[in-house]
């Protein structure tokens, strides 16, 4: 809750705090168009209407015309509605403030919010003519309105009927920035798409249709550190694009003609982006130029010294912006992984000066890790708009809310003095590594954009409208400005691991789309549309599914939705690493339950580095396996969610996914489309992953019971359950065999490449080790005590949580320095209740106070001293 009445948190139970939000339609009931009397449609666009005459709107109208023509419909173009005398339907493109729109909107009494990107689609009957008004508050809103009609036409078997049934819709964006990033990280895998002039118009049109308003092309993110570099293409991007006058900086292995071609492609891509009404953002993630401990890099940099480094980068970024005027913003990684030591304020101030002096307004977007106030001030001093972009759920995708707290590993240790390249992000600013940190002050002079990284799920198809809607709401948390999502297949071929051929990783050529992103059309559609409007009508995604799956569309929607919830749940409750280059739950490298000295790829996790000791990524709401078992054996249970509840949820999602997938198959009528088969395979594999992780969590709990109590029966059941988990994993691997390549690469390390089959041997080693422990534990009673016995039964059963209904009306506002009084009403007399509260600042820990209870009512107060803060307040009830 902030001082203007916004809320960073509310009085909810833990369960409600993470509950997925519902999705509702936005249609306004109104009379449909009547029957069409002919087969002709007219598109009217008044050249005197500035919005309708804008270049993006003209392009979008042409897209609509082409969509209609592709269906065999005769389309005519006119400047005025009165000129279209014989058309069966007249589609009018207009700005919301135009005389035409004002006249037509009077009859239905509809108004468009005076908000950028707002739109309306309104059917009107006038003097016996059927009109359909497509209007926007600004050019982008009008583009969205026209592209919505084009999309409806493309996915309709009867476009006339579809347009005839068009209901009035008024929409406005929930998030002001909705960005998608495509990463260039591989010479081998990324050069083909970068240079594909046929692909880019199709790709960018798709992004505009799905309501993204920013496209970001990222260079220099192929490596985190400049050690053992093999693939350096675009790693230090400037000399791959430019020859900067006054410097002799060059890539000796790169022909000048290729460098010039790279720049020409960047101009082409950026101009095509702007032509569709999107903002073009360029990511420059690396500013280091020396490859360390490297002997076989394919490209190197010549001509830079410590003395001219900053000045060259300043002049290069200025020249780049002047040469490519369609670039409207640049994203910088300014922490140590940029190749520049943290705290090098003068270096970055010099580069920012290149932006300041480029001759136009250009946004500076700084990736938040390692940021401190001095760096923020350096960017603000340019007078340019500044955006700070923290990570959302570390380098992964978790459940659709912001983690209530960070892991202990990210909390600064006052006794630990960091130095060197990462002296801030591993020192006093470590709390900003994987979340919003302390950036959400109410008085901030910058925007905040949440960045979704590609760690949890990189390959398998996903898409859940319910979850996407809840994520959309989370992106505006505490006045956040939106989201930048690294698209599927990000980091594919990273760190020199690129393999020529299909980027989607298919061994079976019949599964391959022409362009890699076409596999993820449903994913991108759901994510983009919901980021714009979490109340988007369901037909928006259902019409696409119907075109791919036919009669099985509804069942496939449910199957995909349930399957898509599995891996984010695993990540939220079990973060073996917050780093995407260490943890890949989708193609999980087994972490041992029994012995950390077995094959163990996880470094970014508490010691001892066993499965049961892994911290949740949100340790405020979830328990690790070992902590849960300790609570139970001590008889002191907290309200946090347990690994057994997690296992139960995973089993339920998997069972629902499997059920609906079977329904979809039965209804499909033998569908052989590649898109259909891709969905079937990927849903099947995710269902298997759900069962696998559920079984392994149960096995982990059982083993922890054995470790902490000595109960041999717990060890016996742990072994049985672990073997069951192994069977589920083998099923996943078998489902992907012969369909996916044997070596799918997102990095050079063993845990970042390979196939699901490769992961079985490490599981077998751990299972064998557990079996040896059981063999060694022959003597003594199987059951130690009743508490351990009950815990074994719980671990094998269905956990039940006592639910108490709570009524609470959050205050609409609070004043700094004044007490916040909170009152709650319960459906029964609770034994106890605790209020947890905190400034919306990951650098701080939660405060807690017991509620004063009187019957079924309770009250608590956040003290006046605590509310004297520039931060919003978050609170919840246990």
């Amino acid at each position: 809750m902030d001082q203007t009445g916004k809320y960073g948190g509310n009085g909810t139970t833990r369960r409600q705090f993470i509950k997925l939000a519902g999705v509702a339609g936005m249609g306004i009931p109104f009379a449909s168009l009547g029957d069409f009397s002919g087969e002709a449609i007219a598109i009217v666009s008044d050249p005197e209407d500035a919005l309708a005459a804008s270049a993006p709107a003209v392009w979008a109208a042409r897209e609509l015309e082409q969509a209609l023509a592709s269906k065999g419909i005769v389309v005519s173009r006119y400047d005025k509605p009165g000129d279209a005398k014989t058309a069966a339907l007249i589609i009018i493109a207009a700005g919301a403030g135009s005389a035409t729109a004002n006249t037509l909107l009077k009859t239905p009494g509809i108004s468009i919010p005076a908000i950028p990107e707002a739109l309306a689609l309104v059917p009107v009957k006038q003097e016996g003519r059927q009109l359909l008004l497509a209007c926007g508050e600004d050019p982008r809103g009008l583009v969205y309105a026209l592209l919505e009609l084009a999309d409806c036409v493309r996915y309709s078997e009867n476009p006339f009927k579809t347009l005839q049934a068009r209901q009035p819709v008024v929409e406005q964006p929930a998030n002001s920035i909705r960005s998608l990033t495509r990463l260039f990280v591989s010479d081998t895998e990324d050069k083909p798409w970068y240079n594909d002039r046929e692909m880019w118009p199709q790709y960018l049109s798709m992004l505009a249709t799905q309501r993204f308003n920013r496209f970001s092309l990222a260079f220099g993110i192929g490596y985190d550190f400049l050690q053992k570099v093999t693939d350096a293409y675009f790693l230090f991007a400037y000399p791959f694009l430019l020859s900067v006058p006054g410097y002799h900086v060059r890539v000796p292995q790169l022909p000048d003609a290729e460098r010039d071609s790279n720049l020409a492609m960047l101009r082409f891509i950026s101009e095509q982006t702007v032509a569709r009404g999107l903002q073009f953002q360029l990511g420059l993630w690396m500013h280091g130029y020396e490859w360390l401990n490297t002997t076989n890099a394919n490209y190197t940099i010549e001509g830079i010294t410590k003395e001219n480094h900053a000045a060259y980068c300043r002049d290069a970024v200025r020249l780049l912006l002047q040469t490519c005027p369609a670039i409207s913003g640049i994203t910088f990684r300014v922490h140590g992984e940029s190749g520049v030591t943290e705290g090098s304020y003068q270096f970055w101030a010099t580069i920012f000066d290149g932006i300041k002096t480029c001759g136009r307004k250009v946004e500076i977007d700084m990736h938040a890790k390692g940021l401190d106030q001095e760096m923020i001030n350096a960017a603000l001093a340019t007078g340019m708009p500044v955006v700070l972009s923290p990570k959302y759920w570390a380098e992964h995708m978790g459940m659709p809310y912001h983690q209530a707290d960070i892991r202990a590993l990210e909390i600064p240790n006052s006794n630990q003095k960091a130095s060197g390249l990462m002296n801030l992000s591993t020192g006093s600013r470590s709390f900003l590594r994987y979340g919003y940190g302390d950036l959400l002050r109410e008085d901030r002079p910058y925007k905040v954009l949440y960045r979704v990284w590609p760690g949890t799920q990189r390959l398998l198809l996903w898409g859940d409208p319910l979850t996407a809607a809840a994520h959309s709401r989370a992106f505006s948390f505490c006045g956040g400005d939106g989201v930048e999502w690294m698209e599927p297949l990000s980091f594919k071929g990273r760190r020199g691991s690129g393999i020529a051929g299909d980027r989607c990783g298919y061994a079976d050529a019949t599964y391959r789309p022409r362009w890699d992103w076409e596999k993820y059309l449903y994913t991108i559609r759901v994510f983009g549309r919901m980021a714009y409007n979490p109340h988007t009508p369901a037909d928006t995604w259902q019409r696409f599914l119907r075109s791919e799956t036919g009669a099985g569309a509804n069942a496939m929607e449910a199957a995909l939705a349930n399957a898509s919830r599995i891996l984010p749940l695993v990540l939220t409750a079990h973060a073996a690493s917050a780093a995407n280059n260490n943890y890949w739950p989708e193609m999980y490298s087994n972490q041992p339950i029994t012995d950390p000295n077995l094959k163990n790829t996880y470094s970014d996790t508490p010691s001892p580095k066993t499965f049961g000791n892994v911290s949740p990524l949100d340790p405020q709401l979830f328990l690790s396996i070992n902590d849960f078992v300790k609570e139970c054996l001590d008889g002191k249970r907290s309200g946090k969610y347990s690994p057994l509840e997690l296992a139960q949820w995973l089993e339920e999602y998997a069972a629902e996914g499997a059920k609906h997938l079977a329904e979809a198959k039965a209804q499909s009528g033998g569908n052989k489309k590649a898109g259909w088969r891709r969905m079937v395979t990927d849903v099947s594999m995710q269902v298997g992953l759900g069962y696998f992780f559920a079984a392994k969590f149960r096995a982990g709990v059982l083993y922890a019971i054995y470790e902490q109590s000595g109960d041999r029966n717990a060890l016996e059941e742990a072994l049985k359950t672990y073997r069951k988990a192994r069977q589920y994993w083998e099923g996943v691997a078998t489902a992907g065999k012969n369909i996916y390549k044997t070596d799918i690469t997102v990095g050079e390390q063993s845990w970042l490449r390979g196939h699901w089959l490769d992961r079985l041997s490490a599981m077998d080693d751990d299972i064998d080790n557990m079996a040896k422990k059981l063999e060694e534990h022959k003597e003594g009673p199987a059951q130690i005590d009743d508490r351990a016995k009950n815990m074994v039964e719980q671990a094998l059963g269905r956990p039940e949580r006592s639910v108490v209904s709570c009524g609470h009306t959050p205050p609409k506002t609070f004043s700094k320095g004044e007490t916040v009084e909170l009152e709650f009403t319960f459906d029964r007399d609770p034994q106890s209740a605790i209020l947890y509260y905190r400034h919306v600042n990951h650098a701080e820990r939660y405060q807690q106070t017991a509620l004063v209870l009187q019957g079924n009512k309770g009250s608590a107060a956040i003290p006046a001293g605590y509310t004297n803060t520039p931060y919003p307040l978050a609170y919840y009830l246990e």
Side-chain angles (χ1 to χ4, degrees):
M1 180 175 66
D2 67 25
Q3 296 142 33
T4 61
K6 303 171 197 168
Y7 286 85
N10 56 24
T12 63
T13 63
R14 289 180 188 271
R15 180 72 171 176
Q16 291 169 325
F17 190 80
I18 59 174
K19 186 177 180 182
L20 299 179
V23 180
M26 285 285 285
I28 303 171
F30 191 70
S32 64
L33 295 168
D35 293 331
F36 287 114
S37 58
E39 288 295 304
I41 290 180
I43 298 176
V44 174
S45 182
D46 187 345
E48 295 182 4
D49 181 341
L51 293 189
S54 66
V58 170
W59 165 78
R62 189 164 58 249
E63 288 287 297
L64 174 57
E65 181 180 0
Q66 291 172 353
L68 290 164
S70 71
K71 295 288 188 173
I73 297 171
V74 177
V75 183
S76 302
R77 299 292 297 270
Y78 298 97
D79 294 344
K80 302 292 182 182
D83 297 337
K85 300 186 183 300
T86 61
L89 172 66
I90 302 172
I91 298 174
I92 301 174
S98 68
T100 300
N102 287 331
T103 299
L104 293 176
L105 291 173
K106 283 181 181 178
T107 301
I110 291 175
S111 61
I112 302 175
I115 294 173
E117 303 183 11
L119 65 90
L121 291 165
V122 184
V124 179
K125 193 167 185 178
Q126 188 181 73
E127 298 178 357
R129 297 182 302 170
Q130 305 292 336
L131 309 180
L132 180 56
L133 174 65
C135 60
E137 175 62 23
D138 58 7
R140 195 174 284 155
L142 180 53
V143 165
Y144 292 155
L146 292 168
L147 293 182
E148 170 65 9
L149 296 180
D151 193 67
C152 289
V153 169
R154 288 192 183 99
Y155 292 105
S156 173
E157 293 183 0
N158 188 331
F160 271 109
K161 185 177 180 180
T162 298
L163 295 175
Q164 181 184 26
R166 181 83 248 179
Q167 293 292 306
V169 167
V170 177
E171 292 186 277
Q172 64 187 62
N175 296 285
S176 63
I177 304 174
R178 305 174 305 282
S179 181
L180 184 138
T181 302
R182 194 168 178 91
L183 284 60
F184 190 111
V185 299
S186 170
D187 184 356
T188 302
E189 297 204 15
D190 296 339
K191 265 188 182 177
W193 59 255
Y194 179 78
N195 291 294
D196 190 342
R197 287 179 177 259
E198 189 177 356
M199 183 209 80
W200 282 109
Q202 302 294 324
Y203 176 72
L204 295 167
S205 295
M206 179 271 297
L207 294 185
T209 300
Q210 306 317 331
R211 309 278 173 91
F212 289 93
N213 61 6
R214 181 170 110 161
F215 170 65
S216 177
L217 180 60
F219 294 143
I221 197 168
Y223 288 82
D224 295 329
F225 300 102
L226 296 179
Q227 301 278 348
K228 299 180 180 179
V229 173
T230 57
D231 182 357
Y233 206 94
F234 277 137
L235 185 55
F236 180 63
Y238 301 122
F240 285 87
L241 297 164
L242 299 163
S243 175
V244 182
Y247 301 89
H248 300 287
V249 178
R250 60 190 292 267
V251 180
Q253 300 85 0
L254 185 76
D256 290 351
E258 186 171 346
R259 179 200 63 207
D260 295 344
S261 176
N262 286 339
L263 181 61
M265 276 307 304
L266 182 60
R267 284 185 60 114
F268 174 79
I269 296 165
S270 60
E271 289 166 359
Q272 288 287 310
T273 302
V274 172
R276 286 155 176 77
L278 283 74
Q279 174 187 344
F280 182 84
Q281 187 86 5
L282 181 65
L284 298 174
W285 287 72
M286 180 61 70
H287 277 78
Y289 59 91
E290 293 182 291
W291 316 155
L292 308 175
N293 301 320
T294 297
T295 59
N296 59 339
N298 54 0
Y299 296 92
T300 55
I301 310 297
E302 286 185 357
I304 300 186
T305 65
K306 292 180 180 179
E307 289 71 27
N308 70 2
H309 184 197
Y312 167 78
C313 294
R314 174 198 62 208
D315 295 346
V317 76
R318 181 196 299 119
L319 181 60
L320 184 58
L321 290 170
Q322 292 170 342
T323 308
C324 298
I327 299 172
S328 56
I330 294 186
T331 298
F332 293 102
R333 175 169 57 180
V334 294
H335 60 80
E337 291 172 25
S338 68
V340 179
T341 301
E342 292 173 0
S344 300
Y345 306 112
Q346 187 54 52
F347 173 86
W348 290 107
T350 301
I351 293 180
F352 295 159
D353 187 62
I355 297 175
K356 180 180 179 180
T357 57
C358 76
R360 68 177 189 279
K361 183 173 72 174
V362 175
E363 176 190 281
I364 298 173
D365 178 346
M366 293 189 293
H367 182 52
K369 180 178 176 180
L371 273 181
D372 63 2
Q373 191 60 48
E374 190 167 353
M375 182 63 75
I376 296 171
N377 290 342
L380 291 171
T382 64
M384 297 292 174
V386 174
V387 174
L388 308 185
S389 44
K391 294 170 182 172
Y392 177 70
W393 284 108
E395 294 178 0
H396 301 279
M397 171 79 98
M399 294 179 72
Y401 72 103
H402 290 272
Q403 58 192 109
D405 205 359
I406 56 177
R407 303 184 306 169
L409 289 171
E410 278 75 66
I411 298 172
N413 182 346
S414 59
N415 297 321
Q416 180 181 350
K417 303 299 181 183
S419 61
L421 192 67
M422 310 292 289
N423 65 83
L424 292 171
S425 57
T426 59
S428 62
R429 304 292 292 171
S430 63
F431 59 82
L432 192 50
R433 291 177 69 189
Y434 298 122
Y436 55 73
D438 60 353
L439 300 180
L440 295 178
R441 296 172 59 102
E442 284 291 292
D443 57 354
R444 59 185 183 263
Y446 48 78
K447 293 182 178 180
V448 174
L449 174 70
Y450 299 109
R451 180 166 285 117
V452 180
W453 283 64
T456 305
Q457 194 160 343
R458 311 167 195 257
L459 194 71
L460 301 178
L461 182 66
W462 54 274
D464 174 21
L466 190 69
T467 304
H471 279 302
S472 176
R473 297 183 182 99
F475 297 142
S476 57
F477 176 72
C478 291
D481 293 278
V483 60
E484 181 161 280
W485 173 38
M486 293 182 176
E487 67 176 2
L489 302 183
S490 291
F491 293 158
K492 183 73 174 63
R494 196 175 187 230
R495 294 176 174 174
S497 66
I499 299 173
D502 177 54
R503 288 190 78 232
C504 292
Y506 285 120
D508 186 336
T510 66
Y511 276 70
R512 297 174 187 171
R514 179 181 178 185
W515 292 307
D516 55 73
W517 49 270
E518 291 180 300
K519 170 178 177 175
Y520 303 99
L521 285 172
Y522 183 72
T523 306
I524 296 170
R525 175 180 291 260
V526 168
F527 194 95
R529 289 301 189 102
M530 289 302 188
Y532 175 85
N533 175 16
H535 304 287
T536 294
D539 182 65
T540 303
W541 60 86
Q542 289 175 347
R543 60 180 176 245
F544 174 81
L545 275 182
R546 286 193 295 268
S547 74
E548 291 290 298
T549 65
N554 290 340
M556 182 57 79
E557 177 186 347
L560 268 168
N562 281 279
S564 299
R565 297 168 191 169
I566 288 169
L567 290 174
L569 178 56
V570 171
L571 183 280
T572 301
H574 185 84
S577 175
N580 74 83
N581 63 5
N582 207 253
Y583 187 29
W584 185 7
E586 182 184 59
M587 196 184 290
Y588 176 66
S589 291
N590 196 62
Q591 185 170 25
I593 293 177
T594 62
D595 185 348
N597 295 314
L598 292 175
K599 185 178 181 182
N600 195 337
T601 65
Y602 299 99
S603 58
D604 176 28
T605 194
S607 295
K609 300 181 187 303
T610 55
F611 185 78
N613 207 41
V614 169
S615 169
L617 197 51
D618 184 353
Q620 188 68 23
L621 298 186
F622 289 85
L623 280 169
S624 72
I625 289 171
N626 287 351
D627 286 347
F628 166 64
V629 171
K630 185 177 188 306
E631 279 191 359
C632 291
L633 291 176
D634 290 347
K636 299 177 180 179
R637 279 288 284 119
S638 69
K640 294 183 180 182
Y641 293 108
S642 76
L644 296 181
E645 289 176 292
L646 171 65
Q648 185 64 46
W649 298 340
L650 291 172
E651 288 163 355
E652 289 170 355
Y653 285 142
E656 285 294 299
K659 180 185 77 173
H660 291 297
L661 181 60
E663 293 171 354
K665 287 180 179 179
Q667 296 165 5
S668 71
N671 192 334
K672 299 297 183 183
K673 286 185 177 181
W676 162 260
R677 289 183 290 124
R678 289 193 292 261
M679 290 180 188
V680 170
T681 296
D682 287 7
V683 169
S684 298
M685 294 178 73
Q686 288 174 81
V687 165
L689 289 171
Y691 283 127
F692 162 76
F693 278 111
K696 189 170 183 186
F697 284 126
R698 290 187 185 275
V701 169
L702 288 160
Y703 188 80
I705 297 169
Y706 158 71
E707 275 196 313
Q708 295 184 35
S709 71
D711 189 286
R712 191 177 78 230
N713 187 52
L715 181 58
E716 290 176 352
E717 296 298 338
L719 182 59
K720 292 178 187 175
T721 309
Y722 202 176
R723 284 172 171 160
K724 185 185 297 184
R726 196 253 187 223
Q727 290 175 351
Y728 286 129
W729 186 271
E730 187 172 16
V732 173
T734 301
K737 187 178 181 180
N738 300 324
I739 293 175
Y740 284 104
K741 293 178 180 178
T742 57
D743 190 12
I744 299 167
T745 62
V746 294
E748 82 288 17
Q749 301 287 0
S750 62
W751 57 87
L752 295 175
R753 64 188 307 162
H755 192 275
W756 292 266
L757 288 165
D758 302 339
R759 278 40 175 177
L760 285 168
S761 62
M763 291 182 201
D764 290 338
D765 291 343
D766 199 23
I767 289 170
D768 289 345
N769 199 48
M770 190 179 289
K772 289 177 184 177
K773 289 183 179 291
L774 182 60
E775 183 66 22
E776 293 166 359
H777 197 149
K778 288 182 177 178
E779 305 300 326
Q783 300 282 182
I784 299 300
D785 57 34
D786 288 342
R787 186 164 285 171
K789 179 180 178 181
N790 290 336
M791 278 212 68
V792 171
E793 292 174 356
Q794 287 182 49
L796 296 172
R798 182 184 180 91
E800 293 185 5
R801 174 176 285 264
S802 177
V803 177
V804 179
S805 295
C806 173
H808 170 65
T809 302
K812 292 182 178 180
T813 186
F814 77 91
S815 299
K816 291 176 64 174
E818 294 186 6
T819 301
V820 176
E821 302 285 354
L822 304 171
E823 296 183 352
F824 306 87
T825 303
F826 307 98
D827 64 347
R828 70 187 82 166
D829 295 353
Q831 294 180 346
S832 66
I834 299 172
L835 178 76
Y836 290 81
Y837 60 93
R838 194 199 67 190
H839 301 136
V840 181
N841 180 352
H842 280 150
E844 302 178 14
R845 309 280 68 78
Y846 277 84
Q847 309 292 309
Q848 65 183 71
T849 185
L851 263 66
V852 176
L853 299 173
Q854 293 182 326
N856 71 332
K857 297 184 181 299
S859 62
I862 300 176
Y866 198 79
T867 69
N868 189 16
T869 174
Y871 291 97
L873 297 176
Y875 63 91
Y876 69 93
L877 195 63
E878 178 179 287

